[in-house]
Structures are given as structure tokens and as C-alpha cells.
Amino acid sequence: MKVLVGVALVVVTLLGAPLFSVIGAGALLGFAREGTDLSVVAIEFFGLSETPVLVAIPLFTFAGFLLSAGRAPARLVRLSQALLGWLPGGLAIISLVACAIFTAFTGASGVTIIALGALLYPALREVGYDERFNLGLITSSGSLGLLFAPSLPLILYGIVAEAPIDDLFAAGLLPGILMIVVLASYCYWRNRKVAYRATDGSWAAAWAAIREARWDLPLPIVVLGGIYGGFFAVSEAAAVTALYVALVELVILREVAWRDLPRIMRESMVLVGAILVILGVSLASTNLMIDTGVPQRLFAWVSGYVTGPTTFMIALLVFLLILGAILDIFSATVLIVPLLLPIAAQYGIDPIHLGIVFLAAMELGYLTPPVGLNLFIASHRFEKDITEIYWATQPFLLVSLLAVIIIAFWPDLSLMLLNR
Amino acid sequence: MPRCSTACSASSPSTGARIRELAERPLSDSAQNGWWARVDRAARSIETWLIVAVLGGLIVLGAAQIVLRNFFSIGFAWADGLARLCVLWLGLLGALAASRDGRHITMGALARWLPPRLRIVAAVCGALFGAGVSAALAWVSLRFVGDSREFGDTLLDGVPAWWLQAIMPVAFALMACQFVGEAIKRLRGGAVSETPL
């Protein structure tokens, strides 16, 4: 019976039933089997209103959507070009940096490819890189930067793992930079024979770009300075960010019309709602799994095969790469992290380090079929066949994998910036 | 793009083309008139304006709290609770909007490779399953809210808790209706938009 129900749930999932309904059904059926009153599922769902940090999610998401609706993407590209244009392999590296910063603010939802891809793709072609490289670069940059504050996956991990968000923000910095450096090195090496035409790298141009971006530049300072300076909590930083972006885009620069505001708010809350409804039902299913001792049984099973921290980390990476290929980062976080944490703790893995490894590995999931979100968005956006996009991203995927392995086996890279 | 494979080439070409057309036709073509479409449009704008009100309120509330605390050393005990309830409301309103726009997170990417006829079947099954579970969630939420009303629970310094919790059964019930509507639309030959996330 239990097996039959499990198979049925897998089948409806593959047919395309909304994931929250599958998890909800699992929780309802599980509690019914335990003989618990089913309103426990509603009580757990109401727990969404009892988590203070959760307030940050709608606010940061709205700010990110509003930023991408205005001309901030163009300013960001121009600024990176003015500041980094002199580097060898310049435009590729510019793309990586601009996409990473933008993704941190828009929550790694594929918005980056749509907002920045349109600006960078033609520019890359003009410089003379080959088509396949450009496609691969843009597609893989779309999820780069989700280790940087204040990205949505980082906040969500902190909420699910009950880890301090500011620690996670600090921990993501160096591994995020490592990912960019490793990918940038690949870009440089790959295009070493392309005759590089330097962009207008004058001081005047740099100054003009900085002036143009003068309203955007305070944002990271407000977010990070405010949090680490102790002026406000993460959720308050989110409120300030949302208000500031609204003020700049609607009142000061007037790049977004007031009449578009309801649409943008709705769009951003569609993403938030899709994530929170999954989180809500997962609160119930996680509780059920803990009640029925799933983590202990899982650990007993794992410890039969995995002896030490190193083998555990290897097994974890393999597991996460498979997981990332079939589940998106948000669902994976709310479903798998509660099970993973107690097991990782038995092997002495720091929960903050685990979070960074988890998110870095799931980042690769954006590029792996069958569900890799970036592949679909890029295929749609650039009107290319999905298999073509897939092959174009392969080298980037392998290079990023190298970075993930370094992040996994070098815990201090994540933990050295923490005040402990 | 998904390609037509064995299943539809087996039927006559015109039927295959017709089914393919049905599977790929955008929502707007088939759903512009009729009473359902009018109800849908009205519901959509109510939904949107509620989102605007709650999200706008949350932003103002958050900013006001910082200003009051840092400059005037004033704080309200209920403000944090209200902000957290706004998140619950936004989550549910957003989920309802996601149902209307066909943008819930699914693992249905595999279904894209099905032949057109089976893709419609898969979409109908998925939507009906979503409808069933949403209805069940609405029912358990209704019991939760009923209990809370009976026991006289309060939130935010004395506001009856069930006023604020009532969004749960309402949103899930509307989501159930939305999924049933989607299934019917699919069966009658309109495709629902399939943007990934």
C-alpha cells in the first residue's frame, strides 16, 4: 500500500502536477496513516507566519524584479565594461561579474538570462567569440552568483536550517568569488587566440559609467553595511532595499511607470507564492518525517556505506548533482536540507559549510537536463534547440564542477570570514 | 521544442496536426470571451490589487519600524507579528496567482517530450491532482480556522486570529477551482502557458 502510494505520487509528479500538491498529499496521507488529526497540516502551514526572516523573501524578490524592469541591467553592464574592459578576455569576464551581481539581487530565478542575456549576447558576438561559447557563457552565468548576499536560495537555506543568515551571507562570499575566478580563467584560456579589441577604457568613460550608476551603487552598501554594521536585521535590510529601489526606479529616475507597478508586484509574488506554498506544506512533511524517525533510519542506512567525512562528502556531491538534475533549488532546499543536516552533523560537517556546498552543487543543477531551468530559458530566449544549448554549456559545467569540489573539500574557504 | 513522435503520426495527419495545434495554442486565443473569462479577469485584478496592498503595506511597515526605532526609540510589539502575517498572505495570494498563470513549480519537464495527445492527458491529470489536494488543504485549513475561532485565539494584541487565518481556506479553495478550470480548458483544447517558473 505504502509503495503503491509512493509510485502514484511519483507518476503524478512526472505528469506535471504542481510540486506543492504532491508534497501536501504525502503529508496528508502520512499523518492520516499515523492517525493524527489532519488539521496539523494547516497548523504547520501557518508556521509560515511565525518565521521572522521569511519577511526578507518577498521584499528582496520584489526589489530584484523592479530593478530588472528598469534600466539597471544596462547600467550594470556598462559599469562592469568600464571597470573591467581592460582585462584580457574582458567581455567574457564582464558577463560573469555582471550576471553574478544581478543574480544575487534577483534570486536566481532565470531573470538574469532574460534581463542581461539580451544585452550581453550581441556584444559578445561583436567582439568575435564563437557562437557556441557565447551561448554556453550566458546560459551558465544565469545562476552564477547565488552564493552572494542577498540571494533567495541563501536566505531560504538559512530559514530551513535555522542557521544565522548573516553568517551564510559572509560564508558565500569567497566560494562565490572562487566560482567566478575559475570560470573567468576558463574563458581567458578558451579565447586566448581571439584577437582582443579593447573597449573604450578611458578614465572619462569609467567616470561616466560610475556617475550613471550612482543610484544603484549604494545598494550593496545599504544591504551589507546595514546588516554587518548592526543597523538592522536581514528582514529590515530587505524592507529598506525594496523601498530604496522603488524610490529610485519610480520617483528619481522614473524608468518604471507607476501603472506597471501592480504587474511587477504580481509577477514577483507569483515566484514568492510558488516557493512559499512548497515551503508551507514541507513544514508539515518534514515534521512527519522527523516524527516517524526518517532521519535516524536514513543515517543508519548511510553509515553502512559511508565511513568518514571524506567519503560522506564524495557521496553528498554525487547525490546533490543527481538531485539538482531532477529538482529545482528551492524545492530541494525545503525538502532535502532537513534530512541532510542531522546526517551531516554526525560526520562533523558544519551546517554553514554544508549550506554553501549544497547551494553550489545545486547551482550546477540549473545546467543539467532534464529540468535545468537555465537550459529552458536560454533555449526560449535565444531560439535555439535545447540540445544545442546543452552541449554549449558542457565545458562551463565541468569547470564549475571543479570549483564545487574545491568548495566541498576546503571548508575554511567558506568559514574563514565568519566571526566565531 | 518537443517533436511529434510515433503516437501522433499513427493517427491521420489532420488529427495529428489538430491535436498538436491544441496542445500548443496559447491560452489567450481560447479564453477571451464567455462568463468564465469575465470572472477570471475580475478575480485576477482583485488578486493583483490585494497583492499590491499587502506588499506595499509590508514595505511601508518595515521602513517605518526602522525609522521609529532608530530615530525616536519607539517600537510596536505587534509590528513584527503583522509583518510575518503579511508574508503568509503574500505567499497564498502569490500561490493563487501562480495557479491562475500556470506557473507553479512542477517537475513536468519530462512531460514536454510526450506526444501532443498524451501531453494534454498529462496536463489534465496534473491539474486534477492539484485541484484535489488544494481542496483537501482548504478543508483542513477550514477546520484549523474553525478551531481557532472556537477557542477564541487572538493575534497582534487582541485581533481574533481567525480573521487573519481565514485567507488559508479561501486561497486553497480558489486554487482548487483554478486547477479544475485549467483541466477543463485543457480538455476543451486550450493550452495553458508553460513558462518554466
Side-chain angles (χ1 to χ4, degrees):
Chain A
M1 183 60 195
K2 205 172 156 186
V3 176
L4 216 64
V5 170
V7 170
L9 287 183
V10 170
V11 170
V12 288
T13 311
L14 294 180
L15 288 179
L19 208 52
F20 87 87
S21 64
V22 177
I23 302 166
L28 288 167
L29 294 172
F31 277 117
R33 229 169 58 94
E34 298 287 304
T36 314
D37 186 343
L38 289 183
S39 40
V40 67
V41 177
I43 295 171
E44 290 290 340
F45 193 96
F46 189 68
L48 281 185
S49 72
E50 285 154 3
T51 314
V53 196
L54 216 50
V55 177
I57 288 186
L59 293 171
F60 274 132
T61 310
F62 166 64
F65 272 66
L66 194 55
L67 271 180
S68 36
R71 294 192 57 254
R75 286 195 298 271
L76 180 60
V77 170
R78 200 173 150 209
L79 181 68
S80 334
Q81 207 155 1
L83 298 180
L84 301 171
W86 51 273
L87 281 170
L91 196 60
I93 296 170
I94 290 163
S95 308
L96 291 171
V97 172
C99 285
I101 294 173
F102 199 70
T103 302
F105 272 92
T106 53
S109 53
V111 183
T112 307
I113 297 177
I114 295 165
L116 288 185
L119 300 166
L120 292 170
Y121 187 59
L124 284 164
R125 194 156 44 186
E126 206 173 298
V127 174
Y129 300 139
D130 72 84
E131 177 83 11
R132 191 176 227 196
F133 171 81
N134 299 343
L135 274 179
L137 176 68
I138 298 288
T139 310
S140 20
S141 304
S143 50
L144 191 66
L146 58 79
L147 292 179
F148 294 133
S151 91
L152 211 50
L154 266 179
I155 299 177
L156 196 61
Y157 178 88
I159 289 166
V160 174
E162 295 175 4
I165 308 282
D166 41 352
D167 278 1
L168 276 166
F169 282 1
L173 188 63
L174 294 180
I177 292 175
L178 174 77
M179 280 218 144
I180 295 183
V181 169
V182 169
L183 280 169
S185 315
Y186 166 73
C187 291
Y188 174 60
W189 176 82
R190 165 82 190 261
N191 293 302
R192 64 199 179 282
K193 293 198 183 105
V194 176
Y196 179 64
R197 229 182 28 235
T199 42
D200 182 14
S202 67
W203 285 109
W207 180 240
I210 292 176
R211 260 185 63 83
E212 197 186 44
R214 66 187 176 282
W215 292 107
D216 307 311
L217 287 173
L219 261 182
I221 303 167
V222 169
V223 174
L224 298 179
I227 295 171
Y228 292 106
F231 296 104
F232 31 72
V234 174
S235 54
E236 291 175 334
V240 173
T241 305
L243 191 68
Y244 179 85
V245 172
L247 217 69
V248 169
E249 293 293 335
L250 293 162
V251 181
I252 299 175
L253 299 176
R254 297 188 188 198
E255 286 171 347
V256 177
W258 282 95
R259 64 167 187 283
D260 288 333
L261 191 62
R263 184 185 53 79
I264 296 168
M265 283 184 155
R266 180 191 169 96
E267 286 281 300
S268 60
M269 289 310 110
V270 162
L271 174 65
V272 169
I275 296 171
L276 288 192
V277 74
I278 291 182
L279 179 61
V281 289
S282 309
L283 292 176
S285 71
T286 301
N287 207 326
L288 174 72
M289 286 195 276
I290 290 170
D291 281 356
T292 50
V294 173
Q296 289 88 325
R297 271 184 284 157
L298 212 56
F299 176 66
W301 180 73
V302 169
S303 59
Y305 299 92
V306 177
T307 45
T310 313
T311 14
F312 174 75
M313 205 42 113
I314 295 170
L316 179 69
L317 282 182
V318 172
F319 169 72
L320 290 179
L321 291 177
I322 298 170
L323 183 71
I326 56 174
L327 210 58
D328 71 280
I329 195 163
F330 303 113
S331 319
T333 305
V334 297
L335 278 179
I336 304 299
V337 167
L339 296 177
L340 218 49
L341 273 168
I343 299 177
Q346 300 279 350
Y347 289 100
I349 313 268
D350 188 285
I352 302 279
H353 179 222
L354 178 74
I356 303 300
V357 174
F358 181 88
L359 297 176
M362 292 305 291
E363 183 177 323
L364 302 188
Y366 277 83
L367 303 175
T368 44
V371 295
L373 182 65
N374 285 5
L375 299 175
F376 286 106
I377 294 176
S379 149
H380 188 74
R381 182 73 190 71
F382 301 115
E383 293 171 354
K384 302 277 180 196
D385 197 77
I386 195 136
T387 43
E388 191 183 337
I389 305 270
Y390 172 65
W391 287 113
T393 56
Q394 277 309 294
F396 293 91
L397 189 63
L398 289 175
V399 172
S400 313
L401 182 61
L402 179 72
V404 174
I405 292 172
I406 298 174
I407 293 168
F409 290 100
W410 186 11
D412 281 345
L413 183 69
S414 309
L415 302 176
M416 68 171 81
L417 289 184
L418 266 57
N419 290 322
R420 286 193 168 172
Chain B
M1 286 310 285
R3 292 201 169 72
C4 185
S5 64
T6 44
C8 73
S9 55
S11 54
S12 74
S14 62
T15 321
R18 167 83 180 135
I19 291 170
R20 193 161 59 243
E21 189 210 308
L22 287 182
E24 283 165 8
R25 193 201 294 170
L27 176 63
S28 51
D29 287 3
S30 61
Q32 279 183 346
N33 297 304
W35 65 271
W36 172 259
R38 278 202 297 277
V39 171
D40 189 61
R41 271 199 297 273
R44 171 187 294 266
S45 54
I46 294 172
E47 215 168 78
T48 305
W49 286 105
L50 273 173
I51 287 175
V52 170
V54 180
L55 181 58
L58 181 61
I59 296 171
V60 172
L61 180 71
Q65 257 183 295
I66 299 170
V67 172
L68 289 177
R69 192 190 57 222
N70 287 332
F71 296 101
F72 303 98
S73 301
I74 305 172
F76 296 104
W78 48 265
D80 282 330
L82 183 59
R84 294 200 302 269
L85 280 163
C86 285
V87 175
L88 177 78
W89 277 65
L90 284 175
L92 284 164
L93 289 169
L96 182 54
S99 303
R100 195 175 307 281
D101 299 356
R103 291 194 26 209
H104 270 290
I105 297 177
T106 67
M107 282 172 73
L110 289 175
R112 287 164 201 259
W113 275 279
L114 288 174
R117 191 197 294 266
L118 286 181
R119 244 194 302 160
I120 295 177
V121 175
V124 170
C125 291
L128 288 180
F129 184 81
V133 178
S134 300
L137 289 171
W139 179 68
V140 295
S141 306
L142 191 65
R143 291 212 358 233
F144 162 63
V145 174
D147 286 348
S148 153
R149 187 182 167 186
E150 197 173 314
F151 292 124
D153 293 350
T154 57
L155 286 166
L156 314 177
D157 279 345
V159 180
W162 73 273
W163 291 7
L164 301 160
Q165 295 161 340
I167 182 75
M168 286 173 56
V170 172
F172 280 122
L174 289 173
M175 274 158 78
C177 298
Q178 197 57 48
F179 282 124
V180 172
E182 185 184 313
I184 294 172
K185 232 176 282 174
R186 280 284 190 163
L187 277 176
R188 292 173 63 185
V192 176
S193 63
E194 278 183 278
T195 31
L197 225 134

